[in-house]
């Protein structure tokens, strides 16, 4: 059994979330040194109180000598308590019917983009980060929407969060054939848009008003919302 303290940056994918430390406990089998259980404990200091988190998982019935199908490692096989539907109710994103907060963010080519400069267009914002499975799954749907409705005035803007390595972001966009524009440094507007997970989508009409919002990957719902707005809006 191993027990130690670790900074969040050592075990979290969000490199900018460096606050706090976690107590890690790892139990391995003496016979073959395979892990049996893993747990972590950490505290989060709020303004008026302290949250205490404890998570524990157990590993059974597996072997390094056995080959497992890749389907076992897909996002659909993540335990149900990690799925969107379990905690969507706790996420309060911006409501429909209000003006979307303006922003100015750097582009991947050294340029800058503002939301206000897109007024008069229909804008679909996609908040995402590298390493997010549902974000990756959303790419084909976003490419299809842009190809289908670009002539109708649709702009799809990807907003990358939690990375300050612009070259890494740029290469990710190229490798995954993201045909829509992307900006970065998105964590600076996460509070304004109440981003506490990803992907989160906001559909904004020509006047800058939020018409539809969506938590998580669901291409059919997203395509239906965009299609309805396009069909109800004259070019």
């Amino acid at each position: 059994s191993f027990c130690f303290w670790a900074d969040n940056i050592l075990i979290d994918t969000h490199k900018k979330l460096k606050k706090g430390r976690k107590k890690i406990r790892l139990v391995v089998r003496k016979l073959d040194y395979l892990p049996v259980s893993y747990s972590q404990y950490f505290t989060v200091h709020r303004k008026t109180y302290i949250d205490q988190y404890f998570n524990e998982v157990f590993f059974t019935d597996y072997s390094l000598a056995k080959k497992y199908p890749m389907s076992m490692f897909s996002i659909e096989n993540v335990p149900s308590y990690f799925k969107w539907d379990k905690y969507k109710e706790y996420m309060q994103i911006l409501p429909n019917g209000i003006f979307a907060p303006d922003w100015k963010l750097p582009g991947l080519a050294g340029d800058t983009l503002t939301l206000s400069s897109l007024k008069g267009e229909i804008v679909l914002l996609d908040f995402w980060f590298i390493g997010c499975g549902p974000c990756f799954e959303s790419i084909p749907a976003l490419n299809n929407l842009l190809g289908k409705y670009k002539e109708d005035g649709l702009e799809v803007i990807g907003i990358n969060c939690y990375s300050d390595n612009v070259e890494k972001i740029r290469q990710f966009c190229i490798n995954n054939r993201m045909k829509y524009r992307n900006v970065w440094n998105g964590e600076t507007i996460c509070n304004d848009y109440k981003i506490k997970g990803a992907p989160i989508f906001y559909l904004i009409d020509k006047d800058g008003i939020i018409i539809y919002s969506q938590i998580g990957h669901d291409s059919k719902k997203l395509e239906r919302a965009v299609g309805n707005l396009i069909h109800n809006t004259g070019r």
Side-chain angles (χ1 to χ4, degrees), residues 182-235:
N182 275 273
V183 293
W184 58 289
N185 203 27
E187 62 272 14
T188 59
I189 63 170
C190 280
N191 286 338
D192 293 338
Y193 280 82
K194 298 186 180 296
I195 305 300
K196 298 180 180 179
I200 289 180
F201 305 94
Y202 285 101
L203 182 60
I204 303 167
D205 72 6
K206 294 181 178 183
D207 295 319
I209 297 175
I210 298 173
I211 300 300
Y212 175 80
S213 57
Q214 179 177 308
I215 301 173
H217 168 67
D218 190 323
S219 59
K220 290 184 178 180
K221 285 185 178 180
L222 194 61
E223 290 169 3
R224 187 182 309 118
V226 173
N228 288 340
L229 180 57
I230 293 289
H231 294 148
N232 293 327
T233 303
R235 180 61 173 151

Side-chain angles (χ1 to χ4, degrees), residues 91-95 98-105 114-116 118 123-127 157 159 161-162 186-197 199-204 208-215:
M91 298 180 67
Q92 300 295 324
I93 58 178
L94 294 180
I98 67 170
F99 283 99
D102 195 16
W103 46 258
K104 181 179 181 180
L105 293 174
T114 64
L115 179 61
S116 55
L118 300 174
V123 181
L124 176 61
L125 301 182
D126 165 35
F127 287 85
I157 307 296
I159 301 179
C161 304
Y162 311 119
E187 62 272 14
T188 59
I189 63 170
C190 280
N191 286 338
D192 293 338
Y193 280 82
K194 298 186 180 296
I195 305 300
K196 298 180 180 179
I200 289 180
F201 305 94
Y202 285 101
L203 182 60
I204 303 167
I209 297 175
I210 298 173
I211 300 300
Y212 175 80
S213 57
Q214 179 177 308
I215 301 173

Side-chain angles (χ1 to χ4, degrees), residues 35-48:
V36 175
S37 71
Y38 170 91
S39 66
Q40 61 181 30
Y41 165 83
F42 63 100
T43 59
V44 178
H45 294 270
R46 309 295 186 185
K47 289 184 178 180
T48 57

Side-chain angles (χ1 to χ4, degrees), residues 53-68:
Y53 291 91
F54 177 80
N55 295 302
E56 186 173 26
V57 293
F58 297 91
F59 308 98
T60 60
D61 192 27
Y62 73 98
S63 168
L64 294 181
K66 181 179 178 181
K67 290 186 177 181
Y68 299 94

Side-chain angles (χ1 to χ4, degrees), residues 74-86:
S74 67
I75 193 67
E76 289 80 8
N77 284 297
V78 174
S80 60
Y81 47 83
F82 282 123
K83 289 189 176 179
W84 281 108
D85 290 341
K86 184 70 176 180

